[in-house]
Amino acid sequence: MTMFFAQYCVVCLSLAWIAAGTSALVNLRIEPDPTSFRFEGELGYLFEGEDGNLTCAPNASNLNVTWLYTTASGDQLPNVSAVGSTLVITAAPLSLNNEEVTCVAENGTANATTSYLLRVVGNPGFLSTPSNQTVSGGQTLNLTCVAVGLPTTPTVTWTMKRLDGSLTLVGAGVVGESLVFNVTDDATGIYQCTATIGSSTAASQPFYVLVKMPPDLTHTFAGGNFTNGTANVVLPCEARGFPTPVITWTRDGDPLQEYPPRVTVGPEGNLTFAVILLEDAGEYQCNASNTLNFELSDNATVDVCVPPTFKVLPISEKKNLNTSHEFMCEADGVPPPRYSWYKDGEPIISSGSRVTIVANGSLLIQSVAREDAGMYNCVVESDCDESEIFSPNANLTVWAPPLEPVIDRVEVGSRWLTVFWNHSYNSVPAVNHFRVEHRRNRSESSVTTMWNNDTSSTTVHNITGLLPHALYDIRVMAVSLFGEGTSGIVTRRTRSGVPSDSPENITVVPYVTSLLISWDIPADFTSYNHTKITWAASGGMSVGWASSETSPLVIPSLTPATSYNLSLSFVAVGGFEGPASTIESSTLNGEPTQVQVIVVNSTALMLSWQPLAVGPGPIDPVQHYTVQYNCSTCTYSDSSDSTTTRNLTTEVEIVVDANRTSVVIGGLRPYTLYSLRVSGSTQGFPGSFSDPVVERTFGDVPDTVVSVTGLLPSGPNSLTLAWAPPDLTSLNGPQEDLYYIINASRSGSDAHAAGVPPWSIFINVTQEQLNGSLEYEIEGLVPFTSYSVRIAVANVNGTGPFSSATQNRTSEDVPGAPAGVSVGRVTSYSVEVEWQAPLEPNGVVTSYNASILEAGGSDGGDGGGLVRVVQSQQVSGDVRNTTFKGLARATSYLAAVFASTSAGGGVALNQSFTTLEGNANYTPSVISVLPQSNSSMLVTWTRPPYENLTGELLGYTLRWRKKEEEGGSVGEAKWIYRNYTVECATVECATVECATMECATVIDNLSPYTEYWFSVAVMTTVELGPFSEPVSNVTLEAPPGDPSGLSLTARLPTELGFTWDPPSSPKGIITSYNASCWKGMDRLIQSNLVPSAPSPLSSVCRGLEPDTPYNITVTAYNGAGEGSLALLESSTACSPVPSVGEDLTVGVGTEDDCSIEYSYLLVLVQEAVEGARNLSSYSLEELYNSTKHFSAGTRGRRAEPPPAAVYIAANLTSSQLE
């Protein structure tokens, strides 16, 4: 059905209506009945054949309302009538679309009208819909449904019915005539597009999309560890693809051809072990394959392990101390188990050479120690089982001598000692008694022994009858049947009585803050412990005391020049003090003497002195010396009566080691007067300072930095520098010796400009030259050049530090001539002029002026020719070349160039040249035409020499056409032209042929496997040159289209025969066909490869199921691969009819059930009876042809009889048929 689209509009008119004696505005509105009209915006429409009402509603009463509904020719509109103010439309025909009806309201004086445009919409339909498709995964599929309707274009939506029967909207909101998507494996299904206008819809014929996907492994086994005897172990291997992939397995590279009964492969490909055994270990790999490809999984390792069990167990043993023992332990398992040992419930860490776990699992203990006694367990484990297996307990008993007693304390009297000790009784065999031994100061063997059989309670013994104030050695031994354990020796002295003598021969040596005291100790004073000394200032109370076991003794921290009273007495052991002896002595008074100062240099002075008299030894020596200095009277004049005083009164202290008598003081100010003094300090006396000495440091170079206040250009060759006064306190010498040094250096990019090497100048400026000013003009500089300027203060000692560099640039000047002018490419009409920047730009070059000059007429003076400017161009200062065009052929010219700055134009430099003669009619040659794809060619040609052209090269014109058009001759018709307005088109390519070409382009949108001619011509400003001789080549093949004319030739219960014609669009040389039969669209039953040579093209699918629908597909192959699919839906015939004698009374069948075979049989029987013929006289071909004329079923359509009916009828006699 052909549908037409139409535009619509609505015209609404209102008219003022005037009643008698009054005026009012009358509005009319037409309201479509919402129950029948559909609306788009504010406009309503009807579908063809529907009813609808329009009501005219004025805003005033007492009006007469009528309707006008005629065509432009005056005829009344069909199916339209008026009932009062309502217009009634019955079974709206399409002819009412875009017809206008008008409502009129009047009262006899005036009237008002409004109109409404009727819209009637036809049902939607399709001009074209997609055909069945066979595609490969990853391709882009474009499906197009072209829908039509009246008066608007229908909306097209898409649905797909998947293999599982589910229906889905394709592409999440995709609405439109084209559905484009990237094909995936879930795209197989039955597609349908639906066109909608309002509530009216039309659906297209369903079509198949069949996606062929190579195998893709989606879930594979990654390897694992299993315990021997584990049940139901599954190695997964799942794949997707179409046709459905077949899964096979290999182990250690060998196929698993025959599986034992306990190993099975499931329908999804999983390998299942009912019970996995040690022999199943190995490297496994699964393979998924179908007719398109195959995919192998990665190797996965299956490890089968056996949990460990004990073969040899450790047993309990008794061992002597320092002997060796080995606990035996051995276990079986796969992999071999690991061994560890526990002692008393704690793990044993192998301690090197004495306790080790040997490789066979045994525990070796060398030189058995006491701590080795205890309970032992052997523990085995392996990767097969996470649990640990402990052996039964095995005990080790160690026989050893008793442990050594430990003496806790010894109580002392003048003639007795009491010994207390501790002992551990954890010995085997047990201790049966202790023995206590003592001797006098290790010099005699006098021994007293105590025996004690009570080993559990007595750990104390009293030794009596000893000498007073005597040293004794004591030890305790524990005794058992295996030996003895002896404690360490403890030495103690017995107590003594009160001393009877006082110290004698007392002498005192005085020092500044200490006294050295010595005395005699009686040699036979055996109870002597120490000597006590007390002291006090004369006439005062005691201020200190000390004790010493030996003589002499230093009393420190005393006051210098002070008299002290000293008292000495002996103290015996036990604190008993004897009579005292007294003596008086005084400390010394002193400070450093002979203090001198020497000038070292401008920043250092050396101070020296004589040391203090202090006491001997470490008790009260000189701790350090303190040196103080300041510059409270510092001067900066070389005369004694002219000084400048600085406010530097704070003293600086330096601490000097006690063993030194001089110090060099550095870091001083040059040319400065300093005051210095020194004092010595002991532990108890801070010391007093010497009288100060005064000295001045030498002068030095200034250390002040001049502050620059300005640097300004004062001309093309000068800069003016200004600075602030320097700090006079940092001159480090007399002020009248001051002068300045100025340094100016070319900086930045100007330091290496125009071939001039980097340079700088130094200028000495005296105070007389400045004449009280702090400003100086630096002359002799280069124009428009950046300089870094520094300044420093100097005196007779040298130059001080320079200031930070200050930069500025001299003023601009007119530039010098360009460094060079040259002529580049010269043609018959143009020249390229190039130049270099001036070596002396003298500023920023803002522009260049380039001109072409020609010698012309006589100047009338010296006979020379006048020079006229032919062309002139001004370019920016960053440009170094330009091109002049439009010159005369074979003419001599001068090219002149000069530069300009803000100061003006510089000197010009020129170069002569002559334009070329030029040649016409240059023809390029096409070097090669190479196919790039099934729709494109790479064309390459030579670049023309510019000297052979008579005008400016604009580009190229390339033309091509199919060779077979016009019989293959190279004529002018059917050429396709393309212009390239560039000098030379280029493309990227990797082939040797096009990599060496000068000009190349790719021509696309060509037909596959088609020979084309190509030719090229040169375009210039003067002419289009002749085209080159054509060169041809053939595009590559593309996958062919679907075979045409697919039809059924034979239909049997178990066979389907079919034939087809080659594709109308082969796109190459057809090599073969793939003819397949499918059950549904996902189960391939049979596939046949058919060569392209036979005629007619046909195939047969055998071994099918009777009365079953099948899909027949045929695809063609050429050099580019498999083409699109042709699809035919059919079904096999029913099984043969019952034999003679059975009930043949059946109704006439339909096209959808198997009884249609019997209807053909009845037709044959009727023909035989009416014609009184024996059907056996018919040949099979005659019977087959005769039955074609009879109608089968009740629908009045022609159909071929099933072969089974023909076969049975041909073997019946007339009597049998009756």
Side-chain angles (χ1 to χ4, degrees):
M1 177 178 64
T2 302
M3 297 186 178
F4 300 93
F5 297 95
Q7 301 295 324
Y8 62 89
C9 66
V10 175
V11 179
C12 297
L13 302 176
S14 62
L15 187 68
W17 173 63
I18 303 175
T22 63
S23 64
L25 181 63
V26 177
N27 290 329
L28 298 179
R29 66 179 187 275
I30 298 177
E31 299 176 345
D33 184 359
T35 61
S36 58
F37 276 78
R38 292 155 185 84
F39 292 88
E40 291 181 357
E42 297 180 354
L43 301 177
Y45 62 91
L46 294 172
F47 275 115
E48 180 183 9
E50 287 187 324
D51 300 335
N53 298 327
L54 293 174
T55 300
C56 185
N59 67 341
S61 58
N62 300 323
L63 296 175
N64 181 29
V65 178
T66 58
W67 282 90
L68 302 178
Y69 44 93
T70 59
T71 65
S73 59
D75 298 329
Q76 183 171 322
L77 295 177
N79 297 23
V80 179
S81 61
V83 180
S85 61
T86 300
L87 188 71
V88 179
I89 302 172
T90 305
L94 280 177
S95 59
L96 291 182
N97 188 49
N98 289 332
E99 293 289 349
E100 188 177 73
V101 295
T102 302
C103 172
V104 180
E106 57 185 353
N107 64 356
T109 303
N111 63 64
T113 63
T114 186
S115 299
Y116 191 86
L117 187 69
L118 297 177
R119 292 198 310 144
V120 179
V121 178
N123 292 326
F126 291 96
L127 290 179
S128 65
T129 57
S131 60
N132 296 324
Q133 305 281 333
T134 298
V135 294
S136 297
Q139 294 182 351
T140 299
L141 185 61
N142 189 334
L143 305 176
T144 303
C145 277
V146 179
V148 294
L150 282 176
T152 61
T153 301
T155 299
V156 177
T157 57
W158 297 79
T159 56
M160 181 188 74
K161 185 175 183 181
R162 300 185 183 277
L163 298 178
D164 58 6
S166 62
L167 190 66
T168 181
L169 179 66
V170 178
V174 173
V175 177
E177 292 187 347
S178 294
L179 175 65
V180 181
F181 59 94
N182 196 34
V183 176
T184 57
D185 57 352
D186 59 352
T188 295
I190 300 174
Y191 288 72
Q192 194 171 37
C193 52
T194 301
T196 302
I197 300 179
S199 60
S200 179
T201 62
S204 70
Q205 287 294 325
F207 58 92
Y208 288 100
V209 172
L210 183 62
V211 180
K212 301 172 73 174
M213 297 290 291
D216 179 21
L217 291 170
T218 59
H219 185 198
T220 59
F221 175 61
N225 299 320
F226 304 97
T227 302
N228 188 54
T230 302
N232 295 325
V233 174
V234 178
L235 308 186
C237 182
E238 298 177 5
R240 63 183 180 180
F242 186 79
T244 302
V246 178
I247 304 297
T248 58
W249 286 82
T250 62
R251 182 178 68 200
D252 296 331
D254 297 325
L256 290 174
Q257 300 280 357
E258 298 181 0
Y259 301 99
R262 57 185 177 83
V263 182
T264 58
V265 177
E268 293 183 350
N270 297 337
L271 188 66
T272 302
F273 298 86
V275 176
I276 196 166
L277 302 178
L278 184 62
E279 64 192 50
D280 297 323
E283 295 285 336
Y284 283 78
Q285 189 178 42
C286 70
N287 174 27
S289 61
N290 62 12
T291 57
L292 299 180
N293 205 342
F294 68 91
E295 183 176 8
L296 292 173
S297 69
D298 294 334
N299 286 335
T301 303
V302 173
D303 291 320
V304 181
C305 62
V306 179
T309 56
F310 284 107
K311 288 177 60 181
V312 178
L313 294 171
I315 59 176
S316 298
E317 291 285 352
K318 294 180 180 179
K319 288 292 180 179
N320 292 339
L321 187 68
N322 295 325
T323 61
S324 296
H325 177 64
E326 184 175 6
F327 281 114
M328 304 301 294
C329 184
E330 186 178 351
D332 286 335
V334 177
R338 298 184 297 273
Y339 295 89
S340 60
W341 284 82
Y342 279 67
K343 177 179 179 292
D344 298 329
E346 296 296 331
I348 296 175
I349 300 176
S350 182
S351 59
S353 60
R354 201 178 74 80
V355 179
T356 56
I357 301 174
V358 297
N360 62 4
S362 298
L363 181 67
L364 177 62
I365 306 175
Q366 297 178 341
S367 297
V368 172
R370 299 174 191 273
E371 61 268 21
D372 295 330
M375 178 184 69
Y376 288 81
N377 299 95
C378 176
V379 181
V380 294
E381 59 180 337
S382 75
D383 294 335
C384 186
D385 196 341
E386 295 182 356
S387 63
E388 299 176 328
I389 304 176
F390 283 73
S391 69
N393 297 338
N395 294 313
L396 177 62
T397 302
V398 179
W399 283 63
L403 296 174
E404 297 82 358
V406 178
I407 297 177
D408 181 46
R409 72 183 187 277
V410 178
E411 295 182 355
V412 181
S414 60
R415 292 184 175 276
W416 56 266
L417 295 171
T418 302
V419 183
F420 298 85
W421 69 87
N422 297 321
H423 183 262
S424 173
Y425 296 94
N426 189 22
S427 297
V428 179
V431 173
N432 53 32
H433 67 275
F434 295 95
R435 183 167 66 246
V436 179
E437 296 180 348
H438 69 277
R439 66 184 179 185
R440 172 88 181 275
N441 197 27
R442 296 182 178 87
S443 63
E444 56 184 88
S445 60
S446 173
V447 176
T448 299
T449 303
M450 186 277 291
W451 297 90
N452 189 341
N453 290 325
D454 185 356
T455 62
S456 62
S457 60
T458 301
T459 56
V460 60
H461 177 63
N462 187 33
I463 306 172
T464 59
L466 307 178
L467 296 176
H469 197 65
L471 288 174
Y472 288 91
D473 294 333
I474 309 159
R475 68 179 180 181
V476 180
M477 288 178 286
V479 182
S480 71
L481 296 178
F482 199 81
E484 299 175 348
T486 305
S487 71
I489 296 175
V490 175
T491 302
R492 292 292 184 270
R493 183 187 296 275
T494 55
R495 294 183 181 277
S496 61
V498 179
S500 58
D501 300 325
S502 63
E504 299 176 352
N505 300 325
I506 301 174
T507 60
V508 179
V509 179
Y511 295 96
V512 175
T513 59
S514 63
L515 297 173
L516 176 64
I517 306 173
S518 60
W519 65 94
D520 292 340
I521 301 174
D524 57 350
F525 191 2
T526 59
S527 63
Y528 172 79
N529 183 267
H530 65 273
T531 300
K532 180 180 179 182
I533 304 99
T534 62
W535 62 91
S538 297
M541 297 181 62
S542 174
V543 296
W545 68 276
S547 64
S548 176
E549 294 182 1
T550 61
S551 175
L553 173 69
V554 176
I555 302 175
S557 305
L558 302 181
T559 303
T562 303
S563 177
Y564 287 91
N565 292 321
L566 300 98
S567 175
L568 289 81
S569 60
F570 293 128
V571 179
V573 176
F576 302 101
E577 184 176 353
S581 299
T582 61
I583 191 172
E584 183 178 355
S585 182
S586 297
T587 54
L588 302 177
N589 180 17
E591 61 185 26
T593 59
Q594 300 182 24
V595 179
Q596 296 180 351
V597 62
I598 300 173
V599 180
V600 178
N601 53 37
S602 63
T603 60
L605 298 172
M606 184 177 75
L607 186 68
S608 64
W609 61 90
Q610 288 295 319
L612 287 177
V614 295
I619 300 301
D620 197 19
V622 174
Q623 299 294 312
H624 61 269
Y625 291 98
T626 301
V627 176
Q628 291 184 345
Y629 67 93
N630 61 36
C631 55
S632 60
T633 58
C634 298
T635 64
Y636 295 94
S637 174
D638 57 346
S639 61
S640 60
D641 58 352
S642 176
T643 63
T644 301
T645 303
R646 299 170 64 184
N647 186 19
L648 297 174
T649 60
T650 303
E651 293 179 335
V652 180
E653 286 191 351
I654 299 175
V655 177
V656 183
D657 292 342
N659 59 353
R660 297 176 57 186
T661 58
S662 66
V663 65
V664 175
I665 304 171
L668 304 180
R669 295 287 303 172
Y671 200 67
T672 303
L673 194 66
Y674 286 90
S675 175
L676 305 94
R677 63 181 182 171
V678 63
S679 70
S681 300
T682 66
Q683 183 175 5
F685 176 63
S688 59
F689 281 96
S690 65
D691 292 334
V693 292
V694 178
E695 187 57 86
R696 181 191 302 277
T697 54
F698 292 146
D700 202 351
V701 297
D703 58 8
T704 182
V705 178
V706 178
S707 177
V708 175
T709 60
L711 179 66
L712 298 174
S714 52
N717 303 105
S718 62
L719 294 170
T720 298
L721 177 69
W723 63 91
D727 181 9
L728 298 180
T729 62
S730 301
L731 295 180
N732 298 338
Q735 181 177 354
E736 54 268 25
D737 292 340
L738 163 68
Y739 66 97
Y740 297 93
I741 297 179
I742 298 175
N743 169 232
S745 302
R746 294 178 70 164
S747 63
S749 60
D750 291 331
H752 302 273
V756 178
W759 60 271
S760 63
I761 60 174
F762 289 88
I763 306 171
N764 292 345
V765 182
T766 65
Q767 296 185 59
E768 288 78 7
Q769 290 176 283
L770 293 175
N771 194 22
S773 171
L774 295 178
E775 186 174 284
Y776 185 80
E777 183 177 16
I778 307 169
E779 298 177 334
L781 305 181
V782 179
F784 198 69
T785 301
S786 179
Y787 285 89
S788 292
V789 179
R790 305 179 301 160
I791 185 172
V793 179
N795 60 21
V796 294
N797 298 305
T799 304
F802 277 93
S803 65
S804 299
T806 301
Q807 294 188 352
N808 209 332
R809 185 183 295 274
T810 53
S811 302
E812 290 191 359
D813 202 351
V814 294
V821 174
S822 61
V823 173
R825 189 174 74 172
V826 179
T827 69
S828 60
Y829 61 91
S830 66
V831 64
E832 294 179 358
V833 181
E834 300 175 348
W835 60 90
Q836 298 177 356
L839 294 177
E840 297 177 353
N842 296 336
V844 177
V845 175
T846 58
S847 64
Y848 289 95
N849 186 288
S851 301
I852 301 298
L853 310 176
E854 182 183 10
S858 174
D859 59 4
D862 56 4
L866 295 176
V867 175
R868 67 181 183 90
V869 178
V870 178
Q871 293 185 34
S872 182
Q873 298 181 17
Q874 185 174 7
V875 297
S876 62
D878 57 348
V879 176
R880 298 291 185 273
N881 60 75
T882 188
T883 299
F884 292 91
K885 299 179 180 180
L887 304 180
R889 297 169 55 187
T891 304
S892 295
Y893 293 97
L894 283 179
V897 181
F898 68 86
S900 298
T901 66
S902 61
V907 180
L909 188 67
N910 57 64
Q911 175 67 46
S912 62
F913 68 95
T914 302
T915 53
L916 301 179
E917 179 71 26
N919 297 316
N921 299 326
Y922 172 77
T923 302
S925 61
V926 177
I927 297 175
S928 69
V929 176
L930 300 175
Q932 299 295 291
S933 68
N934 55 39
S935 62
S936 63
M937 290 283 199
L938 175 66
V939 183
T940 59
W941 63 91
T942 57
R943 181 196 304 268
Y946 65 89
E947 61 271 12
N948 286 343
L949 302 179
T950 57
E952 181 181 357
L953 177 65
L954 298 179
Y956 304 90
T957 297
L958 186 70
R959 66 178 185 177
W960 66 92
R961 69 171 180 80
K962 295 181 181 179
K963 185 176 181 180
E964 66 270 14
E965 294 174 350
E966 296 189 358
S969 62
V970 185
E972 288 300 322
K974 297 187 178 296
W975 284 101
I976 299 174
Y977 291 83
R978 180 180 298 176
N979 292 333
Y980 294 90
T981 57
V982 293
E983 182 177 347
C984 192
T986 60
V987 295
E988 294 184 0
C989 64
T991 63
V992 175
E993 291 81 2
C994 73
T996 59
M997 296 303 104
E998 294 181 332
C999 301
T1001 188
V1002 173
I1003 304 299
D1004 48 17
N1005 296 323
L1006 304 179
S1007 299
Y1009 200 67
T1010 303
E1011 186 171 4
Y1012 285 87
W1013 289 101
F1014 293 89
S1015 182
V1016 66
V1018 174
M1019 292 187 296
T1020 69
T1021 55
V1022 176
E1023 62 183 355
L1024 173 65
F1027 279 91
S1028 63
E1029 288 298 321
V1031 177
S1032 67
N1033 209 333
V1034 180
T1035 53
L1036 301 179
E1037 292 184 321
D1042 54 311
S1044 60
L1046 178 59
S1047 60
L1048 198 67
T1049 59
R1051 179 171 173 266
L1052 298 176
T1054 60
E1055 295 182 6
L1056 290 175
F1058 48 96
T1059 186
W1060 65 91
D1061 296 323
S1064 59
S1065 179
K1067 301 177 183 179
I1069 299 175
I1070 302 299
T1071 57
S1072 61
Y1073 296 88
N1074 188 315
S1076 303
C1077 290
W1078 304 76
K1079 194 171 184 180
M1081 292 301 295
D1082 60 340
R1083 184 180 173 189
L1084 178 63
I1085 303 302
Q1086 189 175 133
S1087 180
N1088 300 322
L1089 186 64
V1090 180
S1092 60
S1095 180
L1097 297 168
S1098 63
S1099 183
V1100 177
C1101 289
R1102 296 181 173 85
L1104 308 180
E1105 299 178 10
D1107 191 27
T1108 301
Y1110 288 93
N1111 290 319
I1112 299 171
T1113 63
V1114 179
T1115 56
Y1117 287 86
N1118 62 16
E1122 185 178 14
S1124 56
L1125 172 144
L1127 176 66
L1128 175 65
E1129 299 180 1
S1130 183
S1131 60
T1132 51
C1134 290
S1135 298
V1137 299
S1139 60
V1140 177
E1142 296 184 20
D1143 186 9
L1144 297 182
T1145 306
V1146 294
V1148 176
T1150 68
E1151 64 180 15
D1152 298 322
D1153 57 42
C1154 202
S1155 61
I1156 190 170
E1157 296 193 2
Y1158 301 110
S1159 66
Y1160 281 112
L1161 179 59
L1162 295 178
V1163 170
L1164 292 175
V1165 170
Q1166 181 180 2
E1167 181 185 22
V1169 171
E1170 292 176 356
R1173 294 185 60 184
N1174 186 344
L1175 292 182
S1176 60
S1177 63
Y1178 283 98
S1179 66
L1180 287 177
E1181 182 178 0
E1182 292 175 327
L1183 288 172
Y1184 187 85
N1185 292 332
S1186 64
T1187 56
K1188 288 184 178 180
H1189 302 292
F1190 292 92
S1191 175
T1194 60
R1195 300 188 182 182
R1197 73 174 181 86
R1198 297 285 182 177
E1200 293 183 358
V1206 175
Y1207 177 78
I1208 294 174
N1211 290 278
L1212 298 178
T1213 63
S1214 298
S1215 60
Q1216 289 174 323
L1217 289 174
E1218 293 176 0

